[in-house]
Amino acid sequence: MAKLTAAEMIEAIKELTVVELNDLVKACEEEFGVSAAAGVVVAAAGPAAEVEEKTEFNVELTEVGPNKVKVIKVVREATGLGLKEAKEVVDGAPSIVKADAAKAEAEEIKAKLEAEGAKVTLK
């Protein structure tokens, strides 16, 4: 059997009726284990909606590090918690230090905690 070029295949497809084209698509789906519907859904979705930039973050203390006392002080300063409550947050790591903090505030808290040797993630 001679190989057809892409242009020859397209010309052959153009000559098919809608029913024949539908049968061809079904045969290709069965032969190759794919679905033409997935491509249609993606194409119908249009351009992706712009992703909103996140403005509020949860500051999570993942690891305390070697300076536990200094980390407790930073947690107290950042949250306004008492000594006992701040110690519980630090001892319970990984834990949320501050929820729904503004981006600048979250980055500031993260920098202060990391300066004391703690590991922090913003979520």
Side-chain angles (χ1 to χ4, degrees):
M1 180 174 189
K3 279 191 168 183
L4 297 175
T5 65
E8 291 171 335
M9 281 191 238
I10 290 173
E11 287 302 316
I13 290 172
K14 285 182 182 178
E15 295 175 12
L16 296 176
T17 65
V18 174
V19 174
E20 291 170 329
L21 184 57
N22 188 38
D23 291 340
L24 175 64
V25 169
K26 286 181 182 178
C28 288
E29 288 176 341
E30 290 175 15
E31 179 70 25
F32 300 110
V34 295
S35 174
V40 172
V41 172
V42 172
E50 290 185 31
V51 178
E52 288 185 29
E53 185 176 337
K54 192 170 182 178
T55 58
E56 293 184 342
F57 295 87
N58 291 337
V59 181
E60 181 181 36
L61 177 66
T62 53
E63 290 182 32
V64 178
N67 300 322
K68 183 177 178 180
V69 173
K70 291 181 179 180
V71 171
I72 292 171
K73 287 181 181 181
V74 173
V75 170
R76 285 188 67 200
E77 176 188 315
T79 61
L81 294 173
L83 179 61
K84 180 182 177 191
E85 293 83 6
K87 183 179 181 304
E88 288 172 356
V89 169
V90 173
D91 287 341
S95 59
I96 301 294
V97 173
K98 182 125 184 172
D100 300 328
K103 185 176 183 178
E105 181 184 12
E107 289 175 351
E108 180 183 339
I109 295 169
K110 179 180 178 185
K112 287 180 180 179
L113 288 168
E114 288 178 340
E116 300 303 338
K119 290 188 180 178
V120 181
T121 57
L122 299 180
K123 294 185 174 182

